[in-house]
């Protein structure tokens, strides 16, 4: 359909293009449950304040319930011409509730309406993500307890550094996820204020009760400034920021899994459930799920950056730019949810090759620090000199293509005359990890205790989670 004024140059008419750029119904239909629940809270408040009659409120509320039913059943017809979810629902309400339907929008604007809908979605999704993070922590801590004594190489620069335990390594991620959850908890506490009733931007002259609607929707209080209420999107930015950091953590673990399943490392094997084969190379088992956890991190960062850029130049208050807040946020938080689920599955069914891990732990002169410490403790050398002597012993072993424990006492004594046979006691990887008993260190008994502590704490936290019915 061409437009009279510029149809010659445009294949489609401007109205169609305007609809294309303007309509958000393809993605904001996801907010239907939040939109309905917020509208019900609003109309109940209008009735209790005497702004609409109880009869009108009842017929609006019934109409909204019917619409929720139609949407759930898939029989609702969404129309692009009606632009967004708010107008789609309101238009349908008009055909169900008649003239009363028009009273729902009293003392409200789409600006505070979308702000409350989106905030409810972000808040409830953040709650669900917290639960998933908790589940992953539980999986990691369970495997950590099982592998409190399993020895593996610890790395710096991806070079073998010192032996550690696999349980210790897994618990490092439990700590990270604990902070990730904390960030979501903090963001939730800050965002849990209700913007409904800010109306277009200035508030309203109707005698509304914003405390009532805030309470009804599970918010702690109404937002304090109407301009801020309709133009704030930092609640979404905070959650995206927390999501981006969590995704970074998951991506690091995913990267380790990708390395560890290679034949070169061979530390762990992923089950059939989380790998794929190759259509040409029959021997292959590819860690696709881990790779996708790593890969999806990109889109989560993208959503955070995207929304920061959308918001940075906007004068107060609402501008239509802000409609761009939703797709990236939906996509990113859904991607994170999938990553958490996939990672939990992989960790739970990971098979660990403890022999290979232990062998690798001994390679690369990983007990050189233990040797240097021994020289300090038993020969009273200053650490710097002990470091130097050890370096010469490592060079010698390297030249002989053998391990430190394979050097003869004579060979060692040529480097430092006072060395005694007791030195061989510290060259084994087990002795090495067992000696790391400092607070937070990798000694198996530390790790077993830390895993137990986490498991107890996670069990306690599981009881305090309100099996919170999502608001909508
Ligand atoms: N679809 C819009 C959005 O997502 C709803 C708010 C529209 N407000 C307005 N003043 N045009 O942001």
């Amino acid at each position: 359909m061409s437009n009279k004024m510029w149809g010659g140059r445009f294949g489609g008419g401007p109205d169609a293009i305007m609809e294309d750029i303007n309509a958000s119904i393809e993605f904001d239909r996801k907010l239907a449950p939040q939109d309905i629940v917020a509208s019900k809270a609003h109309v109940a408040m209008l009735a209790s304040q005497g702004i609409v009659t109880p009869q009108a409120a009842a017929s609006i509320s019934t109409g909204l319930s019917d619409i929720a039913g139609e949407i759930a059943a898939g029989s609702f017809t969404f129309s692009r011409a009606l632009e967004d979810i708010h107008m789609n629902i309101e238009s349908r309400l008009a055909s169900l509730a008649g003239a009363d339907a028009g009273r729902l929008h009293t003392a409200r604007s789409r600006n505070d309406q979308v702000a409350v809908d989106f905030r409810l979605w972000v808040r409830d999704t953040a709650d669900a993500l917290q639960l998933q993070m908790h589940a992953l922590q539980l999986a990691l801590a369970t495997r950590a307890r099982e592998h409190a004594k399993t020895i593996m190489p610890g790395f710096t620069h991806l070079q073998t550094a010192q032996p550690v335990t696999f349980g210790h390594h897994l618990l490092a991620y439990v700590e990270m996820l604990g902070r990730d959850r904390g960030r979501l908890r903090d963001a939730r506490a800050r965002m849990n204020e209700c913007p409904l009733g800010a109306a277009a931007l200035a508030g309203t002259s109707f005698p509304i009760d914003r405390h009532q609607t805030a309470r009804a929707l599970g918010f702690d209080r109404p937002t304090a400034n109407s301009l801020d209420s309709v133009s704030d999107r930092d609640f979404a930015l905070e959650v995206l920021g927390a999501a981006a950091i969590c995704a970074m953590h998951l991506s690091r673990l995913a990267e380790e899994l990708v390395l560890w399943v290679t034949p070169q490392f061979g530390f762990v094997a992923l089950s059939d459930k989380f790998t794929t084969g190759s259509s040409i190379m029959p021997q292959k088992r590819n860690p696709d799920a881990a790779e996708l956890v790593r890969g999806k991190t990109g889109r989560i960062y993208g959503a955070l950056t995207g929304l920061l850029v959308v918001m940075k130049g906007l004068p107060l208050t609402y501008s239509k730019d802000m409609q761009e807040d939703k797709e990236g946020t939906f996509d990113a938080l859904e991607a994170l949810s999938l990553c958490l689920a996939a990672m939990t599955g992989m960790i739970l069914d990971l098979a660990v090759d403890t022999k290979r891990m232990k062998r690798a732990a001994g390679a690369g002169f990983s007990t050189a620090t233990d040797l240097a410490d021994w020289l300090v403790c038993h020969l009273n050398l200053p650490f710097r000199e002990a470091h130097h002597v050890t370096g010469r012993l490592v060079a010698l072993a390297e030249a002989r293509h053998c391990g430190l424990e394979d050097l003869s006492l004579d060979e060692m004594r040529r480097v430092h005359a006072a060395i005694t046979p007791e030195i061989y006691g510290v060259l084994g990887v087990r002795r090495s990890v067992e000696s790391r008993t400092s607070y937070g260190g990798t000694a198996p008994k530390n790790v077993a205790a830390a895993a137990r502590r986490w498991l107890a704490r996670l069990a306690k936290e599981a009881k305090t989670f309100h099996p919170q019915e999502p608001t909508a």
Side-chain angles (χ1 to χ4, degrees):
M1 226 200 311
S2 291
N3 179 284
K4 281 194 217 111
M5 284 158 73
W6 54 75
R9 279 191 68 189
F10 285 73
D15 282 346
I17 289 166
M18 182 58 194
E19 196 177 291
D20 280 347
I21 195 167
N22 205 32
S24 54
I25 189 62
E26 305 311 343
F27 49 88
D28 68 14
R29 63 171 67 184
K30 195 186 284 298
L31 296 177
Q34 287 77 12
D35 198 68
I36 289 170
V37 96
S39 287
K40 282 187 172 177
H42 181 68
V43 78
M45 180 278 291
L46 292 178
S48 56
Q49 293 297 103
I51 300 167
V52 302
T53 63
Q55 294 76 2
S59 88
I60 288 171
S61 206
T62 308
L64 288 168
S65 297
D66 293 346
I67 292 171
E70 291 175 5
I71 292 174
S75 61
F76 187 91
T77 323
F78 292 98
S79 155
R80 270 165 64 84
L82 291 167
E83 203 182 310
D84 59 23
I85 187 61
H86 323 293
M87 299 207 285
N88 268 268
I89 289 178
E90 207 181 317
S91 150
R92 177 70 184 135
L93 188 64
S95 56
L96 292 172
D100 283 338
R103 300 191 184 278
L104 170 61
H105 215 54
T106 314
R108 184 177 83 167
S109 148
R110 271 193 298 157
N111 295 349
D112 58 337
Q113 194 178 355
V114 74
V116 74
D117 291 2
F118 190 39
R119 206 180 276 235
L120 286 170
W121 189 90
V122 171
R123 184 190 73 186
D124 293 350
T125 303
D127 285 349
L129 287 169
Q130 272 201 61
L131 282 177
Q132 285 191 284
M133 290 176 191
H134 179 274
L136 177 53
Q137 284 185 299
L138 192 59
L140 287 161
T142 305
R143 299 305 309 261
R145 182 177 50 187
E146 180 190 333
H147 288 287
K149 289 189 193 153
T150 302
I151 295 171
M152 72 178 282
F155 301 93
T156 59
H157 311 268
L158 195 56
Q159 304 288 319
T160 302
Q162 293 174 359
V164 296
T165 67
F166 186 47
H168 198 50
H169 196 108
L170 295 177
L171 286 177
Y173 285 99
V174 175
E175 298 287 338
M176 294 176 228
L177 285 157
R179 295 192 295 274
D180 292 336
R181 275 175 53 205
R183 270 180 279 276
L184 281 186
R185 242 190 339 264
D186 295 348
R188 188 197 205 279
R190 254 186 306 280
M191 85 170 83
N192 205 29
E193 296 184 341
C194 186
L196 189 61
L201 76 164
T204 174
S205 56
F206 288 99
I208 60 173
D209 182 354
R210 293 192 57 210
H211 294 273
Q212 180 182 335
T213 41
R215 251 190 329 272
L217 296 169
F219 289 106
D220 297 329
R221 63 194 82 85
T223 48
N225 178 300
S226 64
L227 304 177
D228 178 45
S229 308
V230 294
S231 67
D232 159 47
R233 291 295 180 270
D234 56 52
F235 64 90
L237 286 167
E238 269 198 79
V239 172
L240 286 174
I245 294 173
C246 178
M248 175 274 292
H249 289 150
L250 298 185
S251 184
R252 294 182 75 175
L253 179 53
E255 166 65 7
E256 295 190 319
L257 291 177
V258 169
L259 285 172
W260 292 345
V261 299
T262 57
Q264 289 76 6
F265 273 81
F267 288 0
V268 301
L270 291 165
S271 73
D272 291 359
K273 289 194 224 160
F274 292 101
T275 47
T276 62
S278 156
S279 53
I280 179 167
M281 297 166 283
Q283 85 284 10
K284 291 265 274 182
R285 176 191 281 283
N286 296 323
D288 296 37
E291 293 166 78
L292 284 163
V293 168
R294 192 177 58 187
K296 283 182 189 295
T297 303
R299 64 206 289 163
I300 297 172
Y301 294 178
L304 172 61
T305 310
L307 185 53
L308 283 167
V309 176
V310 165
M311 296 305 293
K312 74 176 272 294
L314 300 184
L316 299 188
T317 56
Y318 178 86
S319 294
K320 196 61 175 266
D321 313 47
M322 288 162 70
Q323 180 167 284
E324 292 290 314
D325 58 1
K326 286 178 245 348
E327 280 168 290
T329 306
F330 291 158
D331 179 78
L333 300 189
E334 283 165 1
L336 182 62
S337 167
L338 202 50
C339 291
L340 285 163
M343 191 53 90
T344 305
M346 284 188 281
I347 292 298
L348 284 174
D349 356 283
L350 205 63
V352 182
D353 189 336
T354 55
K355 287 209 183 74
R356 260 193 92 129
M357 272 190 180
K358 185 171 176 201
R359 210 176 321 130
F365 312 110
S366 67
T367 55
T369 317
D370 301 82
L371 196 159
D373 289 349
W374 186 89
L375 296 171
V376 170
C377 296
H378 294 84
L379 304 186
N380 200 25
L381 299 190
F383 183 77
R384 281 295 158 219
E385 190 186 339
H387 186 288
H388 185 75
V389 169
T390 307
R392 289 183 56 201
L393 289 169
V394 167
L396 188 63
E398 202 165 37
R400 297 256 192 295
H401 300 290
C402 68
L404 287 168
E405 67 281 15
D406 304 315
L407 294 174
S408 71
L409 193 60
D410 276 354
E411 284 172 313
M412 294 213 202
R413 281 182 171 158
R414 271 193 294 263
V415 174
H416 196 287
I419 292 177
T420 67
E422 280 68 54
I423 197 163
Y424 290 99
V426 300
L427 297 180
V429 290
R430 180 153 307 279
R431 255 290 329 255
S432 172
V433 294
E434 281 170 356
S435 72
R436 301 289 194 267
T437 51
S438 55
Y439 185 83
T442 198
K445 68 175 194 310
N446 282 17
V447 174
R452 270 198 309 275
R453 258 195 319 275
W454 264 113
L455 288 168
R457 175 170 157 187
L458 292 166
K460 198 157 125 214
E461 283 170 347
K463 281 193 217 126
T464 65
F465 284 138
H466 314 292
Q468 217 163 31
E469 284 297 314
T471 313

